[in-house]
Amino acid sequence: MREISRKVAEIQNEGLGEHRLRDLNDEINKLLRERWHWERRIVELGGPNYNRHGAKMTDLEGNIVDVPNTSGRGPGYRYFGAAKKLPGVRELFEKPPELRKRRTRYDIYKRIDASYYGYRDEEDGVLEGLERSAEGAMRRRKEEKEKEREFVVHVPLPDEKEIEKMVLLKKKMELLREYASEDLVEQEKEAKAMLNIHR
């Protein structure tokens, strides 16, 4: 037992090299087999069974792993310390990938409900907040684009006073046509021309 303990402590050192680690692991397994045979003989002679509460094999994360024993005699081959990280050994501790069961068409349709079609998207209020912020950003972009497309006049436009004068003149002309005769309009034009009035 002391020799097993000493070698298990020694195999914890990862810097020993692959060959030394494999040799140490083999020696530990040989000592464990020898111990198992002695303990079996103790039971045959009527002594206590020490194998019943023996230590379990663990993987790199410390989970208990069943190591297959193909011989049917004694404990199976075990890996200790840094030997668990050797190439080819690490794969023994990895769990095989689970095979995914192919879903049937029935299973697929069974999971389709109102939320699949988006009918329940507004129930939790998350979508409303996202839409509100997106709408605000969209409105800001739209206003910015409108400012960019603002109409620039290259010809001077009349201001309000000039527009009022033009409207007043137009109304005046309409009233003159309606109530004044053509002779009167001609006479007015002549008078304006003599007085040098250009309105």
Side-chain angles (χ1 to χ4, degrees), residues 83 86 123 150 180 189 195:
L86 291 174
E123 288 181 358
E150 193 172 292
K189 284 182 183 177
L195 292 173

Coordinates of all heavy atoms in Angstrom, one line a residue, residues 83 86 123 150 180 189 195:
A83 N -1.1 10.7 -16.1 CA -1.3 9.7 -17.1 C -2.7 9.8 -17.8 O -2.9 9.4 -18.9 CB -1.2 8.3 -16.6
L86 N -2.5 11.9 -21.1 CA -1.6 11.4 -22.2 C -2.4 11.2 -23.5 O -3.6 10.9 -23.4 CB -1.0 10.1 -21.8 CG 0.1 10.1 -20.7 CD1 0.5 8.7 -20.3 CD2 1.3 11.0 -21.2
E123 N -47.2 40.2 -26.1 CA -47.7 40.0 -24.8 C -46.7 40.4 -23.7 O -47.1 40.8 -22.6 CB -48.1 38.5 -24.6 CG -49.3 38.1 -25.4 CD -49.7 36.7 -25.2 OE1 -49.0 35.9 -24.5 OE2 -50.7 36.3 -25.8
E150 N -34.3 70.2 -48.4 CA -35.0 71.5 -48.3 C -34.8 72.3 -49.6 O -33.7 72.3 -50.2 CB -34.4 72.3 -47.2 CG -35.2 73.5 -46.8 CD -34.6 74.1 -45.5 OE1 -34.7 73.5 -44.5 OE2 -34.1 75.2 -45.6
A180 N -66.0 100.0 -65.1 CA -65.5 101.1 -66.0 C -65.6 100.7 -67.4 O -65.4 99.6 -67.8 CB -64.1 101.5 -65.6
K189 N -55.2 105.6 -68.4 CA -53.8 105.3 -68.9 C -53.1 106.5 -69.4 O -51.9 106.7 -69.1 CB -53.9 104.1 -69.9 CG -54.1 102.8 -69.4 CD -54.1 101.7 -70.5 CE -54.4 100.4 -69.9 NZ -54.5 99.3 -71.0
L195 N -48.7 112.0 -66.3 CA -48.2 112.4 -64.9 C -46.9 111.5 -64.6 O -46.4 111.7 -63.5 CB -49.3 112.1 -63.9 CG -50.5 113.1 -64.0 CD1 -51.5 112.6 -63.0 CD2 -50.1 114.5 -63.6

